[in-house]
């Protein structure tokens, strides 16, 4: 039975406050997926404890299970319309095409799980920040590296945090209210990520967390949380979804002042071309 059907079945037995939560859940499913119980309570004009009691009234283990139920419901609702139809039959699709179609479907399904308001806020934080720091370890390090390089071509003061770097302490100490930290975190974050995020939170930095699980320990420190991994997905399946999401996030940032970003990108590319010319000239002098 879907969460919608469960709510309809139990609605008359809910308290007045819990009914407010029920109505909010069905009217704003992406808000529920992308925010904690406290924020949902604030928007629904009830207390956080009322949101938690609503979860128990629905025979759920807690708020995280409610998020999972809502996410599953959205996927079910949008599943039929998300099936790609680029080939006349399955026999026509080459093996690589099936992989690419799966990527397309995963991206399309993820679209319905992203809170648009939270995305807009995050892009604004990235645009207005004096400094943008990007943090990712292990498999996420390469994604953090790509995002760091891409954003450096668009705006100044973008730095990738590396726990083994000599100036990591200095970078962390420089964080403040005008800092935006973008962090990639798995189900269980490393001690290094946990420590850096905790310090950034104390320094009132805006923290945009991109995770593979709503259970990530980073969620309690995040100003914005985006859970991009769908159930039964391998890490290879998740990567195209993450890059597509980052592309969308960057495009939203650029839309804040397109002319400014285009001007900076042109000057950056000119500088790179000049540096390549100087390198080539030095090589000629050597030989």
């Amino acid at each position: 039975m879907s969460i919608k059907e469960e709510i309809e079945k139990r609605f008359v037995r809910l308290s007045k406050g819990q009914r407010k939560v029920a109505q909010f859940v069905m009217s704003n499913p992406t808000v529920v997926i992308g925010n904690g119980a406290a924020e949902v309570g604030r928007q629904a004009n009830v207390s956080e404890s009322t949101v938690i009691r609503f979860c128990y009234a629905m025979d759920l283990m807690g708020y995280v299970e409610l998020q999972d139920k809502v996410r599953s419901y959205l996927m079910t609702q949008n599943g039929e319309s998300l099936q790609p139809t680029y080939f006349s039959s399955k026999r026509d699709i080459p093996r690589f095409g099936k992989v690419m179609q799966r990527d397309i479907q995963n991206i399309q399904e993820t679209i319905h799980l992203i809170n648009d308001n939270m995305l807009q806020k995050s892009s604004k934080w990235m645009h207005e920040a004096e400094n943008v720091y990007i943090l990712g370890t292990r498999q996420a390090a390469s994604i953090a590296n790509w995002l760091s390089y891409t954003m450096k071509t668009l705006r100044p003061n973008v730095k990738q945090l590396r726990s083994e770097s000599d100036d990591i302490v200095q970078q962390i100490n420089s964080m403040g209210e005008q800092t935006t930290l973008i962090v990639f975190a798995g189900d269980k974050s490393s001690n290094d990520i946990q420590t850096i995020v905790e310090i950034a939170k104390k320094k009132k930095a805006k923290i945009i967390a991109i995770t593979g699980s709503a259970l990530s320990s980073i969620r309690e420190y995040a100003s914005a949380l985006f859970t991009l991994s769908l159930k039964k997905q391998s890490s290879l399946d998740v990567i195209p979804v993450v890059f597509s999401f980052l592309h969308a996030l960057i495009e939203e940032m650029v839309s804040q002042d397109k002319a400014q970003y285009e001007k900076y990108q042109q000057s950056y590319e000119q500088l790179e071309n000049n540096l390549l010319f100087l390198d080539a000239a030095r090589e000629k002098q050597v030989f």
Side-chain angles (χ1 to χ4, degrees):
M1 188 177 293
S2 71
I3 187 65
K4 179 178 181 293
E5 293 169 328
E6 288 283 0
I7 289 175
E8 290 173 347
K9 177 182 176 182
R10 300 167 188 260
F11 190 81
V12 294
R13 298 198 297 271
L14 299 176
S15 69
K16 185 178 179 181
Q18 290 169 4
R19 289 181 185 181
K20 283 187 176 182
V21 178
Q23 291 170 335
F24 184 88
V25 168
M26 297 316 300
S27 300
N28 306 274
T30 57
V31 175
V32 175
I33 293 171
N35 292 275
E39 177 61 19
V40 167
R42 187 188 69 80
Q43 293 194 34
N45 293 318
V46 298
S47 65
E48 180 180 3
S49 60
T50 299
V51 176
I52 301 302
R53 284 196 292 269
F54 165 77
C55 296
Y56 295 148
M58 299 300 298
D59 283 341
L60 303 176
M61 296 296 293
Y63 185 73
V64 171
E65 188 175 359
L66 173 64
Q67 289 178 308
D68 287 340
K69 291 282 188 181
V70 173
R71 186 180 292 109
S72 297
Y73 172 72
L74 283 181
M75 290 172 62
T76 301
Q77 289 297 104
N78 294 294
E80 293 182 3
S81 63
L82 298 175
Q83 297 298 326
T85 55
Y86 299 115
F87 296 88
S88 58
S89 71
K90 291 185 177 180
R91 293 180 182 178
D92 298 332
I93 308 174
R95 185 177 301 171
F96 79 86
K98 292 179 181 178
V99 174
M100 295 178 73
Q101 277 198 345
R102 189 169 70 242
D103 289 343
I104 292 169
Q105 183 172 345
N106 288 337
I107 291 169
Q108 288 178 317
E109 289 178 352
T110 305
I111 290 171
H112 300 276
L113 306 181
I114 295 172
N115 184 323
D116 182 55
N117 290 334
M118 194 62 69
L119 182 70
Q120 299 301 325
K121 283 184 182 179
S122 298
S123 65
K124 189 174 182 181
W125 293 336
M126 291 161 61
H127 171 67
E128 296 178 347
E130 289 183 4
N131 296 285
V132 175
Y133 289 100
I134 300 168
L135 175 62
T137 60
R138 301 174 184 170
Q139 287 182 321
S142 60
I143 300 174
N145 185 58
W146 176 86
L147 181 60
S148 176
Y149 174 78
T150 302
M151 288 193 63
K152 282 178 181 178
T153 68
L154 295 168
R155 55 153 294 155
N157 302 325
V158 176
K159 303 176 184 70
Q160 182 178 356
L161 291 175
R162 292 182 173 88
S163 57
E164 71 277 7
S165 174
D166 293 335
D167 59 352
I168 182 68
V169 175
Q170 181 182 350
Q171 290 176 330
I172 294 173
N173 285 334
S174 69
M175 293 182 180
E177 293 184 23
Q178 299 304 313
T179 298
T180 293
L181 171 63
I182 303 172
V183 56
F184 298 91
D187 297 5
K188 295 181 180 179
S189 303
S190 67
N191 291 333
D192 289 339
I193 286 185
Q194 191 81 17
T195 300
I196 293 170
V197 171
E198 284 181 16
I199 295 172
K201 181 71 172 180
K202 290 178 182 177
K203 289 179 171 289
K204 299 183 179 179
K206 303 292 191 304
I207 301 171
I208 302 171
I210 301 167
T211 77
S213 169
L215 296 173
S216 173
S217 58
I218 296 298
R219 64 178 295 120
E220 62 181 290
Y221 305 103
S223 309
L225 178 73
F226 297 98
T227 303
L228 301 183
S229 177
L230 303 171
K231 291 182 178 180
K232 298 180 181 179
Q233 279 188 327
S234 69
S235 58
L236 285 176
D237 286 330
V238 174
I239 288 173
V241 175
V242 173
F243 276 109
S244 181
F245 170 76
L246 293 177
H247 184 194
L249 189 59
I250 291 170
E251 286 291 333
E252 289 296 335
M253 180 190 75
V254 170
S255 70
Q256 306 283 329
D257 191 338
K258 194 169 183 179
Q260 170 193 312
Y261 286 105
E262 288 178 349
K263 183 178 180 180
Y264 188 90
Q265 190 173 36
Q266 289 172 2
S267 63
Y268 184 91
E269 290 173 353
Q270 183 62 50
L271 178 61
E272 276 206 327
N273 290 336
N274 291 342
L275 291 173
L276 289 172
F277 177 79
L278 289 174
D279 288 342
R282 290 193 190 99
E283 287 181 3
K284 286 183 179 179
Q285 288 177 355
V286 170
F287 291 102

